[in-house]
Coordinates of all heavy atoms in Angstrom, one line a residue:
A47 N -8.6 -5.5 6.2 CA -9.4 -4.8 7.1 C -9.3 -5.3 8.5 O -9.0 -6.5 8.8 CB -10.9 -4.9 6.7
D48 N -9.4 -4.5 9.5 CA -9.3 -4.8 10.9 C -10.4 -4.2 11.7 O -10.5 -3.0 11.7 CB -7.9 -4.3 11.4 CG -7.5 -4.8 12.8 OD1 -8.4 -5.0 13.7 OD2 -6.3 -5.1 13.0
A49 N -11.1 -5.0 12.4 CA -12.3 -4.5 13.1 C -12.0 -3.5 14.2 O -12.7 -2.7 14.6 CB -13.1 -5.7 13.8
R50 N -10.7 -3.5 14.6 CA -10.2 -2.5 15.6 C -9.9 -1.2 15.0 O -9.7 -0.2 15.8 CB -9.0 -3.0 16.3 CG -9.2 -4.3 17.0 CD -7.9 -5.0 17.5 NE -7.2 -5.4 16.3 CZ -6.0 -6.0 16.3 NH1 -5.4 -6.2 17.5 NH2 -5.3 -6.4 15.2
V51 N -9.9 -1.0 13.7 CA -9.5 0.2 13.1 C -10.6 0.6 12.0 O -10.7 0.0 11.0 CB -8.2 0.1 12.3 CG1 -7.7 1.4 11.7 CG2 -7.1 -0.4 13.3
P52 N -11.4 1.6 12.2 CA -12.4 2.1 11.2 C -11.6 2.5 10.0 O -10.7 3.3 10.0 CB -13.1 3.3 11.9 CG -12.7 3.2 13.3 CD -11.4 2.5 13.4
S53 N -12.0 1.9 8.8 CA -11.1 2.1 7.6 C -11.9 2.2 6.3 O -11.3 2.1 5.3 CB -10.1 1.1 7.6 OG -10.6 -0.2 7.4
V54 N -13.2 2.3 6.3 CA -14.0 2.3 5.2 C -13.6 3.4 4.2 O -13.4 3.2 3.0 CB -15.5 2.2 5.4 CG1 -16.0 3.5 5.9 CG2 -16.2 1.8 4.1
L55 N -13.4 4.6 4.7 CA -13.1 5.7 3.8 C -11.7 5.6 3.3 O -11.4 5.8 2.0 CB -13.1 7.0 4.5 CG -14.6 7.4 4.9 CD1 -14.6 8.8 5.7 CD2 -15.4 7.5 3.7
A56 N -10.7 5.1 4.1 CA -9.3 4.8 3.6 C -9.4 3.7 2.5 O -8.7 3.8 1.5 CB -8.4 4.5 4.7
S57 N -10.2 2.7 2.7 CA -10.3 1.6 1.8 C -10.9 2.1 0.4 O -10.4 1.7 -0.7 CB -11.1 0.5 2.3 OG -10.5 -0.1 3.4
L58 N -11.9 3.0 0.5 CA -12.5 3.5 -0.8 C -11.4 4.3 -1.6 O -11.3 4.1 -2.7 CB -13.7 4.3 -0.4 CG -15.0 3.6 -0.1 CD1 -16.0 4.6 0.5 CD2 -15.5 2.9 -1.3
T59 N -10.8 5.2 -0.9 CA -9.9 6.1 -1.6 C -8.5 5.4 -2.0 O -8.1 5.4 -3.1 CB -9.6 7.4 -0.9 OG1 -9.1 7.1 0.4 CG2 -10.9 8.2 -0.7
K60 N -8.0 4.8 -1.0 CA -6.6 4.2 -1.2 C -6.8 2.9 -2.0 O -5.8 2.5 -2.8 CB -6.0 3.9 0.1 CG -5.7 5.1 1.0 CD -4.8 6.1 0.3 CE -4.4 7.3 1.2 NZ -3.4 8.2 0.7
G61 N -7.9 2.2 -1.9 CA -8.1 1.0 -2.8 C -8.2 1.4 -4.2 O -7.7 0.8 -5.1
G62 N -8.8 2.6 -4.5 CA -8.8 3.1 -5.8 C -7.5 3.5 -6.3 O -7.1 3.2 -7.5
L63 N -6.6 4.0 -5.4 CA -5.2 4.3 -5.8 C -4.4 3.0 -6.1 O -3.6 2.9 -7.1 CB -4.5 5.0 -4.7 CG -4.9 6.5 -4.6 CD1 -4.2 7.1 -3.4 CD2 -4.7 7.3 -5.8
Q64 N -4.7 2.0 -5.4 CA -4.0 0.7 -5.6 C -4.4 0.1 -7.0 O -3.5 -0.3 -7.7 CB -4.3 -0.4 -4.5 CG -3.5 -0.1 -3.2 CD -3.5 -1.2 -2.3 OE1 -3.1 -1.1 -1.2 NE2 -3.9 -2.4 -2.7
S65 N -5.6 0.1 -7.3 CA -6.1 -0.4 -8.6 C -5.5 0.5 -9.7 O -5.1 0.0 -10.7 CB -7.6 -0.4 -8.6 OG -8.1 -1.3 -7.7
A66 N -5.6 1.8 -9.5 CA -5.0 2.7 -10.5 C -3.5 2.5 -10.7 O -3.0 2.6 -11.8 CB -5.3 4.1 -10.2
T67 N -2.8 2.2 -9.7 CA -1.4 2.0 -9.8 C -1.0 0.8 -10.7 O -0.2 0.9 -11.6 CB -0.8 1.6 -8.4 OG1 -0.9 2.8 -7.5 CG2 0.7 1.3 -8.4
K68 N -1.8 -0.2 -10.5 CA -1.6 -1.4 -11.4 C -2.0 -1.1 -12.9 O -1.3 -1.4 -13.8 CB -2.3 -2.6 -10.9 CG -1.7 -3.1 -9.6 CD -2.4 -4.3 -9.0 CE -1.8 -4.8 -7.8 NZ -1.3 -6.1 -7.8
S69 N -3.1 -0.4 -13.0 CA -3.6 -0.1 -14.4 C -2.6 0.8 -15.1 O -2.2 0.7 -16.3 CB -5.0 0.5 -14.3 OG -5.9 -0.4 -13.9
L70 N -2.2 1.9 -14.4 CA -1.2 2.9 -15.0 C 0.1 2.2 -15.3 O 0.8 2.6 -16.2 CB -1.1 4.0 -14.0 CG -2.3 4.9 -13.9 CD1 -2.1 6.0 -12.8 CD2 -2.7 5.6 -15.2
A71 N 0.5 1.3 -14.4 CA 1.8 0.6 -14.7 C 1.8 -0.1 -16.1 O 2.7 0.0 -16.8 CB 2.1 -0.4 -13.6
I72 N 0.6 -0.7 -16.4 CA 0.5 -1.4 -17.6 C 0.4 -0.4 -18.7 O 1.0 -0.5 -19.8 CB -0.7 -2.4 -17.6 CG1 -0.5 -3.5 -16.6 CG2 -1.0 -3.0 -19.0 CD1 0.8 -4.3 -16.7
E73 N -0.4 0.6 -18.6 CA -0.7 1.6 -19.6 C 0.6 2.4 -20.0 O 0.8 2.7 -21.2 CB -1.8 2.6 -19.0 CG -2.2 3.6 -20.0 CD -3.2 4.6 -19.5 OE1 -3.9 4.2 -18.5 OE2 -3.5 5.6 -20.1
Y74 N 1.4 2.7 -19.1 CA 2.6 3.6 -19.4 C 4.0 2.8 -19.4 O 4.9 3.4 -19.7 CB 2.7 4.6 -18.3 CG 1.6 5.6 -18.5 CD1 0.6 5.7 -17.5 CD2 1.5 6.5 -19.6 CE1 -0.4 6.6 -17.6 CE2 0.4 7.3 -19.7 CZ -0.5 7.5 -18.8 OH -1.6 8.3 -18.9
A75 N 3.9 1.5 -19.3 CA 5.2 0.8 -19.3 C 6.0 0.9 -20.6 O 7.2 1.1 -20.6 CB 4.9 -0.7 -19.0
T76 N 5.3 1.0 -21.7 CA 6.0 1.1 -23.0 C 6.5 2.5 -23.2 O 7.3 2.7 -24.1 CB 5.0 0.7 -24.2 OG1 3.9 1.6 -24.1 CG2 4.6 -0.8 -24.1
R77 N 6.1 3.4 -22.4 CA 6.6 4.8 -22.5 C 7.7 5.1 -21.5 O 8.2 6.2 -21.4 CB 5.5 5.8 -22.2 CG 4.3 5.7 -23.2 CD 3.2 6.7 -22.8 NE 2.0 6.2 -23.5 CZ 0.9 6.9 -23.4 NH1 0.8 8.0 -22.6 NH2 -0.2 6.5 -24.0
G78 N 8.2 4.0 -20.9 CA 9.3 4.1 -19.9 C 9.0 4.7 -18.6 O 9.8 5.1 -17.8
I79 N 7.6 4.7 -18.3 CA 7.2 5.2 -16.9 C 6.7 4.0 -16.2 O 5.9 3.2 -16.5 CB 6.0 6.2 -17.2 CG1 6.5 7.4 -18.0 CG2 5.5 6.7 -15.8 CD1 5.4 8.3 -18.5
R80 N 7.4 3.9 -15.0 CA 7.0 2.9 -14.0 C 6.0 3.5 -13.0 O 6.2 4.7 -12.6 CB 8.2 2.4 -13.3 CG 9.1 1.6 -14.3 CD 10.4 1.1 -13.6 NE 11.1 2.1 -12.8 CZ 11.2 2.1 -11.4 NH1 10.7 1.1 -10.7 NH2 11.9 3.0 -10.9
V81 N 5.1 2.7 -12.5 CA 4.1 3.2 -11.5 C 4.1 2.1 -10.4 O 3.8 0.9 -10.6 CB 2.7 3.4 -12.1 CG1 1.8 4.0 -11.0 CG2 2.8 4.3 -13.3
N82 N 4.3 2.5 -9.2 CA 4.2 1.6 -8.0 C 3.6 2.2 -6.8 O 3.3 3.5 -6.9 CB 5.7 1.2 -7.6 CG 6.4 0.3 -8.6 OD1 5.9 -0.8 -8.8 ND2 7.4 0.8 -9.2
A83 N 3.3 1.5 -5.8 CA 2.7 2.1 -4.5 C 3.4 1.6 -3.4 O 4.0 0.4 -3.3 CB 1.3 1.8 -4.5
V84 N 3.5 2.4 -2.3 CA 3.9 1.9 -1.0 C 2.7 2.0 -0.1 O 1.9 2.9 -0.1 CB 5.0 2.9 -0.5 CG1 5.4 2.6 1.0 CG2 6.3 2.8 -1.3
S85 N 2.6 0.8 0.6 CA 1.3 0.6 1.4 C 1.8 0.5 2.9 O 2.0 -0.6 3.4 CB 0.6 -0.6 0.9 OG -0.6 -0.9 1.6
P86 N 1.8 1.6 3.6 CA 2.2 1.5 5.0 C 1.2 1.1 6.0 O 0.0 1.2 5.7 CB 2.7 3.0 5.3 CG 1.9 3.8 4.3 CD 1.6 2.9 3.2
G87 N 1.7 0.7 7.1 CA 0.7 0.4 8.3 C 0.7 1.8 9.0 O 0.7 2.9 8.4
T88 N 0.5 1.7 10.3 CA 0.3 2.9 11.1 C 1.7 3.5 11.3 O 2.6 2.8 11.6 CB -0.3 2.5 12.5 OG1 -1.5 1.8 12.2 CG2 -0.7 3.8 13.3
K89 N 1.8 4.9 11.1 CA 3.0 5.5 11.4 C 3.0 6.2 12.7 O 2.0 6.7 13.2 CB 3.2 6.6 10.2 CG 3.3 5.9 8.9 CD 3.5 6.9 7.7 CE 2.2 7.7 7.5 NZ 1.0 6.9 7.2
G90 N 4.2 6.3 13.2 CA 4.4 6.9 14.5 C 5.1 8.3 14.3 O 4.8 9.0 13.4
R91 N 6.0 8.6 15.2 CA 6.6 10.0 15.2 C 7.6 10.2 14.1 O 8.2 9.3 13.7 CB 7.3 10.2 16.5 CG 6.4 10.3 17.7 CD 7.2 10.4 19.0 NE 6.4 10.4 20.1 CZ 6.0 11.6 20.7 NH1 6.4 12.7 20.3 NH2 5.2 11.5 21.8
G92 N 7.6 11.4 13.6 CA 8.6 11.8 12.6 C 9.7 12.5 13.3 O 9.8 12.6 14.5
Q93 N 10.6 13.0 12.5 CA 11.8 13.7 13.0 C 11.4 15.0 13.7 O 12.1 15.4 14.6 CB 12.8 14.0 11.8 CG 13.5 12.8 11.3 CD 14.6 13.2 10.3 OE1 14.5 14.2 9.7 NE2 15.5 12.2 10.1
G94 N 10.3 15.6 13.3 CA 9.8 16.8 14.0 C 9.2 16.5 15.4 O 8.8 17.3 16.1
N95 N 9.2 15.2 15.8 CA 8.7 14.7 17.0 C 7.3 15.1 17.3 O 6.8 15.3 18.4 CB 9.6 15.3 18.2 CG 9.6 14.3 19.4 OD1 9.3 13.1 19.2 ND2 9.8 14.8 20.5
T96 N 6.5 15.2 16.2 CA 5.1 15.5 16.3 C 4.3 14.2 16.0 O 4.4 13.6 15.0 CB 4.7 16.5 15.2 OG1 5.5 17.7 15.4 CG2 3.2 16.9 15.3
P97 N 3.6 13.7 17.0 CA 2.8 12.5 16.8 C 1.7 12.6 15.9 O 1.0 13.6 15.8 CB 2.3 12.2 18.3 CG 2.2 13.4 18.9 CD 3.4 14.3 18.3
M98 N 1.6 11.6 15.1 CA 0.4 11.5 14.1 C -0.8 11.0 14.9 O -1.9 11.3 14.5 CB 0.7 10.6 13.0 CG 1.8 11.1 12.1 SD 2.0 10.1 10.6 CE 0.4 10.4 9.7
H99 N -0.6 10.4 16.0 CA -1.6 9.8 16.9 C -1.3 10.2 18.3 O -0.1 10.3 18.7 CB -1.7 8.3 16.7 CG -1.8 7.9 15.3 ND1 -3.0 7.9 14.6 CD2 -0.9 7.4 14.4 CE1 -2.9 7.4 13.3 NE2 -1.6 7.1 13.2
P100 N -2.3 10.4 19.1 CA -2.1 10.7 20.5 C -1.2 9.7 21.2 O -1.3 8.5 20.9 CB -3.5 10.8 21.1 CG -4.4 11.0 20.0 CD -3.8 10.4 18.8
Q101 N -0.3 10.2 22.0 CA 0.6 9.3 22.7 C 0.0 8.1 23.4 O 0.4 7.0 23.4 CB 1.4 10.1 23.8 CG 2.5 9.3 24.5 CD 3.7 8.9 23.7 OE1 4.0 9.6 22.8 NE2 4.1 7.7 23.9
E102 N -1.2 8.4 24.0 CA -1.9 7.3 24.7 C -2.4 6.1 23.8 O -2.7 5.0 24.3 CB -3.1 7.8 25.6 CG -4.2 8.5 24.8 CD -3.9 10.1 24.6 OE1 -2.8 10.5 24.8 OE2 -4.8 10.7 24.1
T103 N -2.4 6.4 22.5 CA -2.8 5.2 21.6 C -1.7 4.5 21.0 O -1.8 3.5 20.3 CB -3.7 5.8 20.4 OG1 -2.8 6.7 19.7 CG2 -4.8 6.6 20.9
H104 N -0.4 4.9 21.3 CA 0.8 4.3 20.6 C 0.9 2.8 20.9 O 1.2 2.0 20.0 CB 2.1 5.1 20.9 CG 2.1 6.4 20.3 ND1 3.3 7.1 20.2 CD2 1.2 7.2 19.6 CE1 3.1 8.2 19.5 NE2 1.9 8.3 19.2
Q105 N 0.7 2.4 22.2 CA 0.9 1.0 22.5 C -0.1 0.2 21.8 O 0.2 -0.9 21.3 CB 0.8 0.9 24.0 CG 1.1 -0.6 24.4 CD 1.2 -0.7 26.0 OE1 0.9 0.2 26.7 NE2 1.5 -1.9 26.5
T106 N -1.4 0.7 21.7 CA -2.4 -0.1 21.0 C -2.1 -0.2 19.6 O -2.3 -1.3 18.9 CB -3.8 0.5 21.3 OG1 -4.1 0.5 22.7 CG2 -4.9 -0.2 20.6
L107 N -1.7 0.9 18.9 CA -1.4 1.0 17.5 C -0.2 0.1 17.2 O -0.3 -0.6 16.2 CB -1.2 2.4 17.1 CG -2.5 3.3 17.1 CD1 -2.1 4.7 16.9 CD2 -3.5 2.8 16.1
A108 N 0.8 0.1 18.1 CA 2.0 -0.7 17.8 C 1.6 -2.2 17.8 O 2.1 -3.0 17.0 CB 3.0 -0.4 18.9
A109 N 0.6 -2.6 18.7 CA 0.2 -3.9 18.8 C -0.5 -4.5 17.6 O -0.6 -5.7 17.3 CB -0.7 -4.2 20.0
L110 N -0.9 -3.6 16.7 CA -1.6 -4.0 15.4 C -0.6 -4.6 14.4 O -0.9 -5.3 13.5 CB -2.3 -2.8 14.7 CG -3.5 -2.2 15.5 CD1 -4.0 -0.9 14.7 CD2 -4.6 -3.1 15.7

Side-chain angles (χ1 to χ4, degrees):
D48 189 323
R50 300 169 292 179
V51 182
S53 62
V54 70
L55 292 177
S57 292
L58 283 169
T59 58
K60 300 299 188 173
L63 288 175
Q64 281 192 196
S65 294
T67 295
K68 292 179 179 241
S69 294
L70 292 170
I72 299 304
E73 184 177 341
Y74 292 112
T76 60
R77 300 178 197 179
I79 299 173
R80 297 180 306 115
V81 185
N82 291 296
V84 171
S85 183
T88 308
K89 294 175 294 302
R91 294 177 181 262
Q93 287 184 341
N95 208 24
T96 303
M98 292 185 69
H99 305 282
Q101 181 69 36
E102 60 272 10
T103 66
H104 286 196
Q105 186 175 1
T106 301
L107 292 171
L110 296 175

